[in-house]
Amino acid sequence: MRQALKIILEAAPGFRWLGEATNGIEAVDFCAGNNPDVVLMDMQMPRMDGVEATEIITRNYPGIGVLAITAFSSEEYLVPALRAGAAGYLVKDAEPKEILAAIQAVQDGSAAISASVSQDLILAIRDAHEVKANSAMGENPIALSEREHEVLQLLAHGKNNSEMAAEMHVSEATVKAHLSRVLAKLGVRDRVQALIRGAQYGLVELHMD
């Protein structure tokens, strides 16, 4: 699989293959010395699995995006990967153009989720990982402004920054500012985590369309 990804990336304009690792420990060490923009992370590896490696990389190197690429589309692997900080999740049978688009999306700060795992993501958020807000948090722990809530809603419909700007009749810089405040208020680092947290708190409903 690593060789296939290497061939795809080396043949694509604008992409550069920096190297590879055979386990999670090597992946973490590689990031320390090479500072890649995006890491393509398998979930099942010897010595240290992809979830633990993703958590360490996203915590210690916040400028590096992690894209999980795995054979498993089930909630058992999907939710831990996203919670560890992965900005995207693809299955290994994804077409080369989908892989390249996902890498670019992660690099641009967007979410990248295979269509084949979207159903699992939505079901996991709705059914398996509810946030139990304690009494100190109150009934409405997150207070988003009208514009911030609108950004979160558009994000749930898969809109990128330029599409949000057009629909809201504002600049992309304004959208980015709103989105940054949404991430800060939700206490998350990226768009995927914002959708998970927003759904958990009932701030947004995810759709399949």
Side-chain angles (χ1 to χ4, degrees), residues 71-80 82 89 91 113-129 196 206 208:
F72 305 97
S73 63
S74 67
E75 174 196 329
E76 177 186 358
Y77 295 93
L78 171 64
V79 173
L82 297 179
Y89 194 100
V91 290
I113 306 292
S114 280
S116 60
V117 301
S118 296
Q119 182 74 48
D120 288 319
L121 174 58
I122 292 172
L123 293 176
I125 292 172
R126 287 177 176 171
D127 302 331
H129 294 276
I196 293 174
L206 300 187
M208 288 301 293

Side-chain angles (χ1 to χ4, degrees), residues 145 147-148 151 168 170 173-183:
S145 70
R147 280 302 206 182
E148 290 163 358
V151 165
M168 296 171 66
V170 298
T174 299
V175 169
K176 290 180 180 179
H178 287 314
L179 184 57
S180 294
R181 287 192 291 271
V182 169
L183 298 182

